[in-house]
Short mmCIF file of all heavy atoms in Angstrom, two decimals:
data_model
loop_
_atom_site.label_atom_id
_atom_site.label_comp_id
_atom_site.label_asym_id
_atom_site.label_seq_id
_atom_site.Cartn_x
_atom_site.Cartn_y
_atom_site.Cartn_z
N SER A 1425 60.81 13.92 121.48
CA SER A 1425 59.76 13.11 122.11
C SER A 1425 60.17 12.68 123.51
O SER A 1425 59.33 12.59 124.41
CB SER A 1425 59.44 11.89 121.24
OG SER A 1425 60.57 11.06 121.09
N ALA A 1426 61.44 12.43 123.70
CA ALA A 1426 61.91 12.03 125.03
C ALA A 1426 61.72 13.18 126.02
O ALA A 1426 61.28 12.98 127.15
CB ALA A 1426 63.38 11.62 124.97
N ILE A 1427 62.02 14.40 125.57
CA ILE A 1427 61.86 15.56 126.46
C ILE A 1427 60.39 15.76 126.82
O ILE A 1427 60.05 16.01 127.97
CB ILE A 1427 62.44 16.83 125.80
CG1 ILE A 1427 63.96 16.67 125.62
CG2 ILE A 1427 62.14 18.06 126.66
CD1 ILE A 1427 64.60 17.82 124.87
N ARG A 1428 59.55 15.63 125.84
CA ARG A 1428 58.10 15.74 126.13
C ARG A 1428 57.69 14.67 127.14
O ARG A 1428 56.88 14.92 128.04
CB ARG A 1428 57.30 15.61 124.83
CG ARG A 1428 57.19 16.93 124.08
CD ARG A 1428 56.04 16.93 123.10
NE ARG A 1428 56.43 16.33 121.82
CZ ARG A 1428 56.65 17.01 120.70
NH1 ARG A 1428 56.51 18.33 120.69
NH2 ARG A 1428 56.99 16.41 119.59
N HIS A 1429 58.25 13.50 126.96
CA HIS A 1429 57.94 12.42 127.89
C HIS A 1429 58.42 12.76 129.30
O HIS A 1429 57.71 12.57 130.28
CB HIS A 1429 58.59 11.13 127.42
CG HIS A 1429 58.36 9.97 128.33
ND1 HIS A 1429 57.09 9.48 128.60
CD2 HIS A 1429 59.21 9.21 129.05
CE1 HIS A 1429 57.20 8.46 129.43
NE2 HIS A 1429 58.47 8.28 129.73
N TYR A 1430 59.62 13.29 129.40
CA TYR A 1430 60.16 13.66 130.71
C TYR A 1430 59.32 14.75 131.35
O TYR A 1430 59.13 14.76 132.57
CB TYR A 1430 61.61 14.14 130.57
CG TYR A 1430 62.57 13.06 130.15
CD1 TYR A 1430 63.79 13.36 129.55
CD2 TYR A 1430 62.27 11.71 130.35
CE1 TYR A 1430 64.66 12.37 129.15
CE2 TYR A 1430 63.14 10.71 129.95
CZ TYR A 1430 64.33 11.04 129.35
OH TYR A 1430 65.19 10.06 128.96
N GLU A 1431 58.82 15.65 130.53
CA GLU A 1431 57.97 16.70 131.07
C GLU A 1431 56.68 16.09 131.62
O GLU A 1431 56.22 16.46 132.69
CB GLU A 1431 57.65 17.76 130.02
CG GLU A 1431 56.96 18.97 130.64
CD GLU A 1431 56.51 19.99 129.61
OE1 GLU A 1431 56.14 19.59 128.48
OE2 GLU A 1431 56.54 21.19 129.91
N SER A 1432 56.15 15.14 130.88
CA SER A 1432 54.90 14.51 131.33
C SER A 1432 55.13 13.73 132.63
O SER A 1432 54.20 13.51 133.41
CB SER A 1432 54.36 13.58 130.25
OG SER A 1432 55.08 12.36 130.23
N GLU A 1433 56.37 13.35 132.87
CA GLU A 1433 56.71 12.63 134.10
C GLU A 1433 57.17 13.58 135.20
O GLU A 1433 57.56 13.15 136.28
CB GLU A 1433 57.81 11.61 133.83
CG GLU A 1433 57.42 10.53 132.83
CD GLU A 1433 56.38 9.56 133.38
OE1 GLU A 1433 56.61 9.01 134.47
OE2 GLU A 1433 55.33 9.37 132.73
N GLY A 1434 57.19 14.86 134.90
CA GLY A 1434 57.53 15.84 135.92
C GLY A 1434 59.01 16.06 136.14
O GLY A 1434 59.41 16.66 137.14
N LEU A 1435 59.85 15.61 135.22
CA LEU A 1435 61.29 15.78 135.41
C LEU A 1435 61.78 17.16 134.97
O LEU A 1435 62.81 17.63 135.44
CB LEU A 1435 62.06 14.70 134.64
CG LEU A 1435 61.76 13.26 135.06
CD1 LEU A 1435 62.56 12.28 134.23
CD2 LEU A 1435 62.08 13.07 136.54
N VAL A 1436 61.06 17.77 134.07
CA VAL A 1436 61.31 19.16 133.66
C VAL A 1436 59.97 19.86 133.53
O VAL A 1436 58.94 19.21 133.38
CB VAL A 1436 61.98 19.30 132.27
CG1 VAL A 1436 63.43 19.65 132.39
CG2 VAL A 1436 61.72 18.10 131.41
N MET A 1437 60.04 21.18 133.57
CA MET A 1437 58.82 21.95 133.36
C MET A 1437 59.12 22.99 132.30
O MET A 1437 60.26 23.35 132.06
CB MET A 1437 58.41 22.65 134.65
CG MET A 1437 57.81 21.70 135.66
SD MET A 1437 57.36 22.59 137.16
CE MET A 1437 56.57 21.28 138.09
#
Side-chain angles (χ1 to χ4, degrees):
Chain A
S1425 61
I1427 295 175
R1428 276 200 275 253
H1429 179 62
Y1430 293 158
E1431 189 185 33
S1432 78
E1433 298 290 307
L1435 299 179
V1436 256
M1437 286 180 175

